[in-house]
Amino acid sequence: MHLLAFGLNHHTAPLSIREKLAFPAETLPRALESLLASQAAREAAIVSTCNRTEIYCSSPDPHAALDWLCQFHGLNRTELEPYLYRLEASQAARHAFRVASGLDSMVLGETQILGQLKDAVRSAEHAGTLGTLLNGLFQRTFAVAKEVRSNTAVGSSSVSMSAAAVKLAEQIFPSIAELNVLFVGAGEMIELVATHFAARNPSCITVANRTLERGQRLAEQFGGNAVTLAELPETLARYDVVVTSTASQLPIIGKGMVERAIKARRHRPMFMLDLAVPRDVELEVGKLDDVFLYSVDDIAGIVEVGKEARQSAAEEAETIIQTRVAEFTDWLKKRETVPLIRALRDEADRARRHALEGALKQLARGDAPEKVLEALSVQLTNKLMHPPTQALSSGSGAEHDAQVQTIARLYRLHPES
């Protein structure tokens, strides 16, 4: 079994590729079960966000795990190969530690990814695909993230993606207070973005969601109202700002819908920010006049604010991570000896049971207990000492010398030369 982490992220792949490998939350249980059923992995957890899709697993064959990912999404491996990374053992641990600490994020030091990692681990637990190896990895991952947050300033002065959304809108419109804002979806990302927009007191806030009840719960937090997704074609023209982040596998706002909305608005500009992966807004919408369409990748420049100061803190965080990776690597090496330890104890137990059976028969025949115990102790001693004695009596040269030193150390012996 190999500890393996593989996938792609905003560093290695554009949005057009990342959206092809996304795992919506509702598909995670099926995907995890499928991965284990394929025998490409014994344990697995899947992290899928707007910026990354990563699979952490215990796999006998890393190539088989990669093949499963491509097959699950119906993609050609050669198409994805240029964008994928594959990390094993200590490198996989280092990557997980850096991701959880916000060092691998589009926003250096951001904290949202830690919650997303924890969600991924909970999903794996519920699916029954989290074993001892991955549990050990992620418990250490969360501890490292906490240590980095507590002992460095890597998260200070960071501009979150949700705050960047407001800054981007303010580059198009002079005042958010005069705008009608529509949020499509009612998940965590939308709630974060809505919080930042609400702080600017827009003229109107509306939440469009597949289920009206959930949309109403979110809208009430900001003094807004809610509509269903089915109402979008009739209501879209009312809004100056549209921020969308749903788990839909297909676009829910098409070019035709936006064209009609712009015509009804008499070509007043519309700012659209699509934070979903896969995208909620058809790519062709961005070619329309009077529409300013941005994706999650387009706000990368805005979140660079304050990065230089956080970069210095990131170097401190890397030192912490390096130490914790070394500790994790030691733990992995010790795990590798577990089967040998188990086999050794099993062999000793077989010798014990065999000697005990003989002793019980002797006692049943009426032999003196003292003699039976003496014979039992001698038999056990001979049985347990036979392998090391045989090793000392065989071999020659450097091999023999190494065996002598190993056995002396194991039994804590200091024979006189």
Side-chain angles (χ1 to χ4, degrees):
M1 288 296 113
H2 301 277
L3 172 61
L4 176 69
F6 65 95
L8 46 73
N9 61 23
H10 61 286
H11 295 303
T12 69
L15 177 57
S16 59
I17 298 296
R18 298 202 307 274
E19 63 186 356
K20 294 180 180 180
L21 286 187
F23 288 88
E26 63 270 17
T27 70
L28 275 183
R30 178 172 65 87
L32 289 165
E33 292 168 5
S34 169
L35 177 52
L36 265 64
S38 72
Q39 298 186 342
R42 296 276 182 86
E43 303 178 34
I46 298 175
V47 179
S48 185
T49 74
C50 59
N51 285 331
R52 70 184 65 246
T53 292
E54 294 178 344
I55 297 176
Y56 295 83
C57 63
S58 171
S59 174
D61 182 357
H63 294 289
L66 281 169
D67 288 339
W68 171 86
L69 176 64
C70 297
Q71 291 167 6
F72 187 87
H73 287 286
L75 299 171
N76 191 312
R77 180 167 170 176
T78 57
E79 176 187 0
L80 294 176
E81 199 75 55
Y83 307 101
L84 293 170
Y85 45 82
R86 189 182 75 190
L87 307 166
E88 296 188 33
S90 60
Q91 288 302 310
R94 179 176 182 271
H95 182 73
F97 295 172
R98 296 186 76 255
V99 169
S101 300
L103 301 185
D104 194 59
S105 299
M106 180 181 290
V107 183
L108 179 61
E110 62 95 6
T111 59
Q112 188 179 5
I113 185 59
L114 181 58
Q116 292 167 329
L117 271 173
K118 290 181 177 179
D119 288 342
V121 171
R122 277 192 289 268
S123 295
E125 285 178 332
H126 292 157
T129 62
L130 198 72
T132 304
L133 179 59
L134 289 188
N135 186 62
L137 169 66
F138 286 117
Q139 292 308 312
R140 285 165 173 79
T141 297
F142 301 148
V144 169
K146 181 178 180 181
E147 185 177 1
V148 167
R149 302 289 179 190
S150 300
N151 296 299
T152 75
V154 72
S156 64
S157 304
S158 64
V159 177
S160 67
M161 288 179 61
S162 48
V166 177
K167 289 182 177 293
L168 195 55
E170 289 176 332
Q171 294 178 10
I172 309 298
F173 301 102
S175 174
I176 300 295
E178 300 173 0
L179 305 179
N180 294 332
V181 182
L182 172 67
F183 298 103
V184 183
E188 181 183 6
M189 178 59 77
I190 287 293
E191 183 175 359
L192 290 170
V193 177
T195 300
H196 283 81
F197 269 98
R200 299 294 202 278
N201 297 310
S203 177
C204 167
I205 288 180
T206 300
V207 176
N209 195 54
R210 196 172 304 280
T211 57
L212 185 60
E213 182 181 0
R214 185 174 179 184
Q216 287 173 332
R217 285 200 301 268
L218 180 58
E220 287 171 0
Q221 296 181 33
F222 308 106
N225 63 294
V227 297
T228 65
L229 294 182
E231 298 175 74
L232 278 180
E234 290 75 32
T235 60
L236 187 62
R238 302 175 190 171
Y239 301 100
D240 308 292
V241 173
V242 179
V243 182
T244 177
S245 180
T246 76
S248 174
Q249 291 300 287
L250 296 172
I252 57 178
I253 298 178
K255 181 181 178 183
M257 185 192 302
V258 180
E259 281 180 322
R260 292 189 293 273
I262 289 296
K263 184 177 180 180
R265 289 172 58 82
R266 298 180 182 274
H267 294 277
R268 284 182 291 117
M270 178 183 288
F271 168 79
M272 305 186 78
L273 178 59
D274 187 353
L275 297 175
V277 179
R279 283 175 278 212
D280 284 335
V281 182
E282 286 185 349
L283 189 59
E284 291 77 9
V285 170
K287 300 177 182 178
L288 297 176
D289 293 336
D290 306 308
V291 176
F292 298 87
L293 173 62
Y294 296 89
S295 71
V296 64
D297 284 358
D298 293 325
I299 63 176
I302 297 175
V303 301
E304 293 293 304
V305 176
K307 183 177 180 180
E308 186 174 341
R310 282 175 280 128
Q311 195 68 53
S312 176
E315 294 175 5
E316 300 175 29
E318 294 285 7
T319 300
I320 293 173
I321 288 171
Q322 184 177 354
T323 300
R324 301 303 171 227
V325 168
E327 293 174 355
F328 180 78
T329 302
D330 287 341
W331 179 75
L332 280 180
K333 289 180 179 178
K334 290 175 183 177
R335 270 184 51 84
E336 293 174 358
T337 65
V338 169
L340 178 60
I341 292 172
R342 187 179 295 117
L344 183 62
R345 296 189 68 85
D346 288 345
E347 181 64 26
D349 192 58
R350 278 193 293 271
R352 178 193 64 81
R353 290 197 307 271
H354 180 73
L356 180 61
E357 289 172 3
L360 291 174
K361 290 178 181 178
Q362 291 175 331
L363 289 172
R365 290 198 305 265
D367 292 357
E370 294 83 357
K371 291 184 178 181
V372 173
L373 288 174
E374 176 67 21
L376 174 65
S377 65
V378 170
Q379 185 177 356
L380 280 175
T381 299
N382 290 338
K383 183 69 174 178
L384 296 177
M385 288 297 101
H386 178 70
T389 301
Q390 188 178 41
L392 289 171
S393 301
S394 61
S396 61
E399 180 183 358
H400 179 264
D401 293 341
Q403 288 178 338
V404 169
Q405 292 176 9
T406 299
I407 292 172
R409 185 172 66 254
L410 286 174
Y411 289 93
R412 300 176 184 176
L413 304 175
H414 304 283
E416 295 181 0
S417 56

